[in-house]
């Protein structure tokens, strides 16, 4: 037996079995309101009490919006009103009909008392009430909240992906520029030697000997000289004296040793090797003896890193120092023109940075760069000699991803210019070919770079031009804190 939730009367067997009950009223009792004695149906009593006799609010209080109530039992159902009506009182929808006496059934809406002639029409009408209730209760707001939630989740997903992409790019740049804490010269040197032994390219006894030499070099701070080639400038001077094909004039820098990358700095050490080349020339010039009295031998790469850190501690280029977190030693960090300038200036060597920040010729070329270097070498050497061996130090040349050393410049008979460059990427075996007296000039292809060969977007050079006094050094240190290189328009 199943009881009605509203009046407690036993439901007909059709309702208990899940079939639609007969239309006659289920309950003929007419209860009265205990407060006003109004006669109301049992299903209307609770709603009558709540609407006609609400409890008074305390003074100054604000009645919250009442949740929606079930029209059958008065229970607060909120947004679940539709589910509540169908679950608890579905049997009543079919029991609301009354007989008109002529066999026609009328069905009254429990919400608005509208009379319907068909139970299906009544159900559709009640559904409209329930949908209207859901809308007024904030169904549309629920959709808005859902849309906002979905948009927030999408924004968070995109932000997370963007942060991941930026983090990966940053880590890639750190690895590229040696700032990923993967060790420095020593660690790379040992790892590459172990690889050479595993591949059969190095004998174990050679490994141990070179490891001992490397440890001694690191302890002393002096380069072991294994990558050095001397005498190339002198060999070039002799070659040009007898070469008369297409060179009108040539200017060569003062003597300079070539240094190439080793197992310990391959892939990142070009800036340090070019500094070694520049320093090797300055050490052969007595004009720089005073400022280089503490640097009489070529320092190793880890020692150069410490020297740059010392320059930072003096106050040179704080912005550049912060880029490296004030630390180079023990890393594979790339250095550029600014670090070379800071180091040379800290040694009281007068120099300047010239920035060729955009192409000045057709097809992305830099003819102004060639003209500037020609003026640098020829300004004090206006004689008519074909080969001019100047006392000018070589020039540090930097572009994105690599640096080289300018040791001279050719002027062809057609007035075109060609730079002569020492590249740390060239091995000692390649450089040794330039020392042969019977050279036919084929080796010069390693050094020659014409205007059409240098098409990077931007170039920087560091050119040495004398010695600084202590006062000039201090002034340049202050100026380097807002360092801006001179730009060629």
């Amino acid at each position: 037996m199943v009881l009605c939730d509203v009046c407690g009367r036993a439901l007909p067997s059709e309702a208990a079995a899940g079939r639609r009950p007969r239309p006659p009223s289920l309950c003929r009792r007419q209860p009265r309101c205990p407060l006003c004695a109004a006669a109301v149906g049992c299903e209307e009593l609770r709603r009558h009490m709540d609407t006609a006799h609400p409890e008074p609010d305390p003074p100054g209080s604000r009645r919250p919006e009442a949740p929606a109530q079930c029209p059958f039992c008065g229970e607060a159902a909120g947004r679940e009103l539709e589910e509540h009506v169908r679950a608890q009182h579905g049997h009543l929808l079919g029991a609301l009909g009354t007989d008109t006496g002529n066999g026609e059934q009328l069905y009254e809406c429990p919400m608005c008392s509208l009379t319907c002639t068909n139970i299906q029409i009544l159900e559709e009408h009640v559904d409209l009430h329930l949908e209207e209730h859901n809308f007024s209760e904030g169904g549309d707001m629920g959709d808005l909240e859902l849309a906002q939630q979905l948009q927030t989740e999408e924004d968070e997903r995109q932000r997370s992906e963007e942060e991941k992409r930026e983090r990966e790019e940053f880590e890639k740049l750190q690895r590229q520029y040696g700032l990923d804490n993967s060790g420095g010269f020593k660690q790379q040197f040992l790892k590459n030697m172990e690889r050479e032994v595993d591949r059969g390219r190095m004998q174990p006894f050679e490994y141990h000997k070179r490891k001992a030499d490397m440890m001694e070099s690191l302890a002393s701070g002096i380069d072991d000289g294994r990558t050095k080639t001397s005498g190339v400038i002198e060999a070039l001077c002799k070659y040009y004296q007898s070469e008369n094909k297409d060179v009108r004039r040539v200017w060569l820098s003062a003597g300079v040793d070539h240094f190439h990358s080793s197992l310990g700095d391959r892939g990142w050490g070009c800036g340090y090797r070019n500094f070694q080349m520049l320093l090797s020339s300055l050490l052969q010039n007595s004009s720089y003896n005073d400022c280089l009295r503490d640097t009489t031998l070529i320092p190793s790469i880890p020692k150069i890193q410490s020297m740059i850190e010392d320059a930072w501690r003096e106050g040179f280029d704080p912005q550049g120092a912060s880029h490296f977190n004030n630390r180079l030693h023990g890393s594979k960090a790339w250095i550029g023109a600014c670090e070379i300038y800071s180091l040379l200036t800290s040694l009281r060597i007068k120099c300047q940075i010239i920035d060729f920040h955009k192409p000045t010729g057709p097809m992305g070329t830099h003819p102004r760069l060639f003209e500037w270097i020609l003026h640098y070498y020829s300004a004090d050497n206006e004689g008519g000699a074909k080969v001019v061996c100047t006392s000018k130090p070589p020039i540090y040349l930097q572009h994105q991803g690599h640096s080289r050393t300018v040791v001279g410049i050719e002027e062809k008979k057609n007035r075109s210019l060609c730079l002569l460059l020492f590249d740390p990427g060239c091995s000692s075996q390649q450089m040794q070919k330039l020392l042969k007296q019977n050279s036919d000039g084929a080796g010069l292809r390693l050094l020659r770079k014409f205007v059409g060969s240098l098409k990077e977007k931007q170039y920087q050079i560091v050119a040495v031009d004398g010695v600084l006094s202590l006062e000039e050094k201090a002034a340049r240190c202050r100026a380097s804190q807002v360092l801006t290189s001179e730009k060629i328009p």
Side-chain angles (χ1 to χ4, degrees), residues 325-343:
N325 294 322
N326 298 284
R327 176 179 167 270
L328 282 177
H329 192 269
S331 74
K332 295 194 287 284
W334 295 17
I335 60 171
C338 291
E339 289 70 49
I340 298 299
Y341 173 88
S342 297
L343 177 52

Side-chain angles (χ1 to χ4, degrees), residues 276-472:
Q276 289 178 328
M277 296 186 206
L278 177 55
L279 186 60
S280 73
S281 181
L282 298 179
L283 289 173
Q284 298 177 45
N285 191 327
S286 59
S287 301
Y288 299 94
N289 286 349
D290 183 54
C291 56
L292 294 177
R293 61 179 181 272
D294 296 329
T295 311
T296 58
L297 297 172
I298 301 298
S300 63
I301 287 181
K303 177 63 176 178
I304 296 173
Q305 292 177 322
S306 297
M307 293 168 67
I308 296 175
E309 291 177 356
D310 291 340
W312 289 340
R313 279 188 284 270
E314 287 187 54
F316 288 95
D317 191 18
Q319 183 177 358
S322 65
H323 171 75
F324 296 98
N325 294 322
N326 298 284
R327 176 179 167 270
L328 282 177
H329 192 269
S331 74
K332 295 194 287 284
W334 295 17
I335 60 171
C338 291
E339 289 70 49
I340 298 299
Y341 173 88
S342 297
L343 177 52
L344 290 172
T345 307
S346 71
L347 297 174
R348 290 180 45 228
I349 296 173
K350 184 179 180 181
C351 60
Q352 59 179 325
I353 297 180
I354 309 296
D355 184 8
F356 298 86
H357 63 286
K358 64 180 181 180
T360 53
M363 301 179 66
T365 56
H366 292 263
R368 292 276 184 91
L369 169 64
F370 285 71
E371 293 167 5
W372 194 98
I373 293 175
L374 174 63
H375 181 265
Y376 171 83
Y377 281 117
S378 64
D380 300 328
N381 302 277
E382 295 294 343
K386 175 186 176 181
V387 182
V388 183
C389 297
T390 73
S391 60
K392 292 279 191 177
I395 298 172
Y396 179 95
L397 175 65
Q398 177 78 51
H399 62 81
Q400 179 65 35
H402 195 40
S403 60
R404 286 169 282 190
T405 297
V406 183
V407 298
I409 185 169
E410 295 178 344
E411 183 183 41
K412 301 295 185 178
K413 290 182 178 180
N414 62 2
R415 301 290 179 166
S416 64
L417 300 176
C418 177
L419 296 183
L420 300 175
L421 304 179
F422 277 5
D423 191 330
C426 292
S427 66
S428 295
Q429 291 79 9
Q430 292 173 307
M431 297 302 294
Q432 290 288 334
K433 297 177 181 179
L434 297 170
L435 301 178
K436 297 179 181 180
Q437 293 296 327
N438 59 352
S439 173
D440 58 358
L444 279 174
R445 286 179 296 183
L446 292 172
L447 309 184
R448 283 175 167 156
K449 294 297 176 183
F450 294 92
V451 173
S453 302
L454 299 184
K455 293 185 177 182
E456 296 291 334
K457 292 183 179 179
Q458 181 178 3
Y459 289 91
Q460 286 181 317
I461 62 175
V462 180
V464 173
D465 188 24
V467 177
L468 296 171
S469 65
L470 292 175
E471 293 77 12
E472 290 173 327

Side-chain angles (χ1 to χ4, degrees), residues 246-263:
D246 60 348
V247 177
R248 178 174 178 268
R249 297 188 71 184
V250 60
W251 291 265
L252 299 174
S253 73
V256 53
D257 297 329
H258 177 269
F259 290 83
H260 69 80
S261 300
S262 69
L263 293 176

